[in-house]
Amino acid sequence: LPSMQTSGSKRCSCPSFKLREVASMYFTMIAVFLVILVVALQGSVPRGSDFPYKVPLDPQGLLELSWNVSYPEQAVHFQLLIRDLQFGLLFGMSDRGEFENADLAALWSDGHNSYFGDAWSDAKGQLHMDSQQDYQLLGARKAPEGLYLLFRRAFSTCDPKDYLIEDGTVHLIYGILEKPVHSLQAINISAIHRGLQRVQLLKPNITIPELPSDMKTMEITAPDIVIPSQETTYWCYMAELPDGFPKHHIIMYEPVITAGNEALVHHMEVFQCAAAFDSFPHYNGPCDSKMKPDRLNYCRHVLAAWAMGAQAFYYPEEAGLAFGGPGSSRYLRLEIHYHNPLVFKGRRDSSGIRLYYTATLRRYDAGIMELGLVYTPVMAIPPGEDAFILTGYCTDKCTQLALPAAGIHIFASQLHTHLAGRKVVTVLSRDGKEQQVVNADGHYSPHFQEIRMLKEVVTVFPGDELITTCTYNTEDRSRATVGGFGILEEMCVNYVHYYPQTQLELCKSAVDPGYLHRYFNLVNRFNDEEVCTCPQVSVPQQFFSVPWNTFNRDVLKSLYGFAPISMHCNKSSAIRFPGMWDKQPLPTITERLREPVPRCPPTPGPRTATAVPLNLGELRR
């Protein structure tokens, strides 16, 4: 446990005491204080087994973070294992993983004395001790494997210098101090080894369903490949189910990570191929290789998805994801994203995903539905935008036609954009009034996508609307970003997992093309530069020729905010449900959800803005 001290004195008018009496009273009070403190710390320090979530922070695995979430306390308990402690560590959170304007817990040493404190960095990256100490140190202990540091942090502190821990992605940052420092302010963040890791800190408190006795497992894993010695690799491997494999339900899946590669395997997905093809070629290699057969692009139906820091995924006890049997392809594609910033060579890997399945079919087949925007260039983002918003609709007309009277139950969600995506949210609306958030990520990263179980199941009835909004940043781009499949094009999608399965597989929208044509005509009329609106010129080319002045940006925003939409209310066969789906009016929202107000924890009194001394002994030079 940390060694803590109090210091300082205050002048007052006091009765005269002998020096011996004063000293005796002083040391008695100190002893009582330390006993109370040690008992309090021992009672509040979680055991190692109490940290169910774990992730390596750095590519070498020298820093390992474990944590748990207490919703009654509205707090996260952290356990940080530092395998090779030098002269300290910075750990914290920021909006996008930057070290400027960050909220930090700092451990530093001058080589003899060590200190812990709650700190923050300003816009220039200069560190400051926080006047409100909200990273609460619970303990520190040395073990053969390294130093364990235990501390606590409330979700919300109502300190303007602190990060608000919310649902969705959290960008964790770390910095390793390799030289002794004499004060917090002496730490130069530009001169230290640092990095970031993305996690979902606030895991849902899900009750694990009972698993059937006839449950079997199947591992879809890479066949002992050599991880390429480059920073980023997407590896594709084709697998297939046994011939004549009957219908089963997947009821759970979990990652299988080759020991030693925990810091390199960033995320993995298993896709089922389209049943329209009788066979698919075998392939084992980089997904972007020219040698990859084009037919593998028809393996897009997600069966399982895992990202670093995620645990096992469980289906609700009344539903399972069907695979196998008639009308289902035998062919599966495993895709693994390796993140190898230190460019390790010769690392072999057999990671993948373990599926748990049963032949005893559950009451309902689970389904996956796409919400958001259609993959079309008519939805575009001008260059140089810091927060441009696009919205896709699943309208009341579509849900009225396609959903059963008892509704469907959404239990999980996977948000998806390409590189410009910064925020994604889907809201359920009924009769023009927003009811609840289905899933939201205010710090979304396209580099961290996983299927997330929802904290509570969302029921959608016929006539409800599902509205998905994406926020994009294109400040680093010089021309318009259009919608499409390319990595430099954009998407706005929420893949919702629900039961019972219906015929509705895609419920998305895009602006009516006729209204977009009017926009190009208007731009052409009011600008000196020619914007070709002739039919033979593609929509992307027309967007690329727009001069992006304030007027043209504002008119495009306005167009997306009022123009009619083309609805895609599609069955799994990619055929629309019968009806008129073009030039549909935008849904009208008359009542919006209130923004949640952060709950401030009760303050036990002002915490002194000073560092806590730690007895870690001499640290190595």
Side-chain angles (χ1 to χ4, degrees):
L1 289 173
S3 171
M4 300 187 184
Q5 300 176 0
T6 58
S7 61
S9 61
K10 191 176 181 180
R11 293 183 181 273
C12 63
S13 299
C14 305
S16 178
F17 290 98
K18 292 181 180 178
L19 180 61
R20 183 178 299 175
E21 291 173 336
V22 171
S24 175
M25 291 169 60
Y26 175 80
F27 286 112
T28 300
M29 290 171 64
I30 289 294
V32 170
F33 171 76
L34 288 176
V35 168
I36 293 172
L37 179 63
V38 168
V39 170
L41 285 178
Q42 287 177 338
S44 61
V45 175
R47 301 184 304 273
S49 59
D50 290 337
F51 296 95
Y53 313 115
K54 184 167 65 176
V55 68
L57 288 182
D58 67 309
Q60 290 177 286
L62 297 176
L63 303 173
E64 184 177 278
L65 180 72
S66 304
W67 75 96
N68 68 38
V69 182
S70 172
Y71 285 102
E73 293 182 35
Q74 292 282 289
V76 181
H77 291 89
F78 296 99
Q79 176 181 267
L80 185 56
L81 169 59
I82 309 168
R83 297 187 190 277
D84 185 23
L85 178 63
Q86 298 184 45
F87 291 96
L89 182 83
L90 301 178
F91 166 83
M93 298 165 259
S94 65
D95 180 38
R96 309 292 311 170
E98 58 282 309
F99 260 80
E100 295 76 27
N101 299 314
D103 178 14
L104 298 159
L107 171 67
W108 74 95
S109 171
D110 60 10
H112 304 285
N113 302 302
S114 301
Y115 303 91
F116 177 92
D118 183 343
W120 58 276
S121 64
D122 58 29
K124 295 181 179 179
Q126 176 64 49
L127 297 186
H128 306 269
M129 186 67 70
D130 201 330
S131 59
Q132 186 174 313
Q133 293 285 296
D134 292 304
Y135 281 107
Q136 299 171 27
L137 183 65
L138 301 179
R141 65 180 176 89
K142 285 186 174 180
E145 61 271 26
L147 174 72
Y148 284 94
L149 205 61
L150 281 77
F151 49 98
R152 176 188 183 277
R153 169 69 152 71
F155 298 171
S156 168
T157 65
C158 296
D159 178 352
K161 302 299 184 185
D162 284 356
Y163 180 94
L164 175 64
I165 301 176
E166 301 174 287
D167 291 334
T169 302
V170 177
H171 291 71
L172 302 177
I173 55 177
Y174 66 88
I176 298 172
L177 306 185
E178 298 172 323
K179 296 179 180 179
V181 290
H182 295 280
S183 69
L184 176 74
Q185 289 75 18
I187 299 172
N188 179 4
I189 64 167
S190 63
I192 63 175
H193 173 69
R194 58 187 187 173
L196 80 96
Q197 181 63 278
R198 300 174 182 93
V199 299
Q200 179 197 19
L201 272 185
L202 301 189
K203 303 286 188 182
N205 190 13
I206 300 293
T207 302
I208 296 176
E210 188 175 342
L211 300 174
S213 57
D214 68 341
M215 181 177 67
K216 295 180 180 179
T217 63
M218 175 187 300
E219 292 189 358
I220 314 296
T221 56
D224 192 32
I225 70 159
V226 177
I227 301 174
S229 52
Q230 59 192 37
E231 181 171 346
T232 300
T233 299
Y234 284 84
W235 193 273
C236 284
Y237 170 68
M238 292 296 293
E240 58 184 282
L241 301 174
D243 207 5
F245 188 76
K247 180 180 177 180
H248 290 76
H249 270 165
I250 298 172
I251 55 175
M252 168 191 167
Y253 62 81
E254 64 183 0
V256 179
I257 310 292
T258 298
N261 292 344
E262 293 85 355
L264 301 181
V265 179
H266 188 270
H267 68 258
M268 303 181 287
E269 292 182 277
V270 175
F271 300 91
Q272 189 166 34
C273 300
F277 298 94
D278 293 331
S279 66
F280 281 80
H282 290 281
Y283 180 72
N284 180 38
C287 299
D288 59 356
S289 169
K290 293 180 180 178
M291 302 299 291
K292 189 190 81 171
D294 290 341
R295 187 168 288 189
L296 270 61
N297 295 329
Y298 291 92
C299 304
R300 305 179 65 90
H301 179 70
V302 178
L303 288 185
W306 172 89
M308 195 177 277
Q311 300 296 100
F313 182 93
Y314 294 88
Y315 280 84
E317 58 186 359
E318 58 269 43
L321 187 64
F323 80 134
S328 174
S329 176
R330 292 173 47 221
Y331 295 90
L332 308 176
R333 176 169 65 89
L334 171 68
E335 181 174 305
I336 304 179
H337 173 200
Y338 294 106
H339 182 57
N340 184 13
L342 300 181
V343 195
F344 292 119
K345 295 181 179 180
R347 286 284 189 96
R348 306 196 75 89
D349 188 68
S350 299
S351 299
I353 289 179
R354 181 182 296 119
L355 304 175
Y356 291 76
Y357 63 98
T358 175
T360 306
L361 301 182
R362 291 180 166 180
R363 182 178 178 186
Y364 300 114
D365 284 350
I368 301 173
M369 187 190 306
E370 286 188 42
L371 307 175
L373 288 171
V374 181
Y375 309 129
T376 168
V378 301
M379 304 301 296
I381 307 132
E385 293 282 345
D386 65 338
F388 194 87
I389 293 172
L390 294 177
T391 300
Y393 301 90
C394 177
T395 61
D396 54 354
K397 183 176 178 181
C398 183
T399 61
Q400 187 71 56
L401 190 64
L403 299 189
I408 60 170
H409 309 288
I410 300 174
F411 60 88
S413 162
Q414 181 183 15
L415 306 174
H416 178 75
T417 74
H418 285 173
L419 299 179
R422 295 295 181 269
K423 298 180 182 181
V424 187
V425 59
T426 296
V427 175
L428 170 69
S429 173
R430 183 174 298 141
D431 299 324
K433 298 178 181 179
E434 292 182 345
Q435 301 294 308
Q436 67 185 112
V437 173
V438 178
N439 193 8
D441 196 337
H443 301 275
Y444 172 85
S445 169
H447 304 292
F448 184 66
Q449 302 182 37
E450 59 182 348
I451 302 173
R452 291 177 180 165
M453 292 179 278
L454 303 184
K455 285 181 179 177
E456 58 182 76
V457 173
V458 176
T459 301
V460 184
F461 292 106
D464 286 352
E465 294 164 331
L466 291 160
I467 302 171
T468 302
T469 299
C470 294
T471 304
Y472 302 92
N473 183 294
T474 57
E475 289 180 301
D476 61 344
R477 302 190 181 187
S478 58
R479 69 177 192 176
T481 300
V482 299
F485 290 97
I487 194 63
L488 293 178
E489 297 173 327
E490 266 309 329
M491 293 185 173
C492 178
V493 188
N494 185 355
Y495 300 97
V496 292
H497 295 243
Y498 72 96
Y499 68 91
Q501 185 179 34
T502 69
Q503 286 189 299
L504 182 60
E505 188 165 283
L506 187 147
C507 191
K508 302 164 82 173
S509 71
V511 71
D512 179 75
Y515 276 74
L516 183 65
H517 186 70
R518 295 182 194 179
Y519 167 77
F520 289 132
N521 283 334
L522 182 70
V523 169
N524 195 25
R525 185 181 305 170
F526 284 91
N527 289 273
D528 295 335
E529 300 179 44
E530 282 285 321
V531 178
C532 184
T533 56
C534 13
Q536 64 267 29
V537 175
S538 67
V539 168
Q541 287 302 321
Q542 292 182 69
F543 270 121
F544 297 156
S545 66
V546 171
W548 290 109
N549 53 43
T550 303
F551 175 80
N552 292 339
R553 293 172 188 271
D554 290 346
V555 173
L556 184 64
K557 290 177 187 177
S558 178
L559 175 82
Y560 288 148
F562 79 83
I565 54 176
S566 172
M567 265 303 301
H568 287 234
C569 184
N570 293 7
K571 301 180 182 181
S572 56
S573 57
I575 298 172
R576 289 186 187 183
F577 279 83
M580 294 293 293
W581 299 111
D582 294 328
K583 291 185 171 58
Q584 296 295 296
L586 284 182
T588 302
I589 302 300
T590 57
E591 187 177 309
R592 298 196 178 274
L593 289 170
R594 291 183 180 179
E595 286 289 324
V597 178
R599 194 177 93 184
C600 300
T603 306
R607 298 191 189 95
T608 309
T610 55
V612 177
L614 284 174
N615 183 16
L616 300 179
E618 296 263 340
L619 296 184
R620 67 185 178 89
R621 292 186 179 275

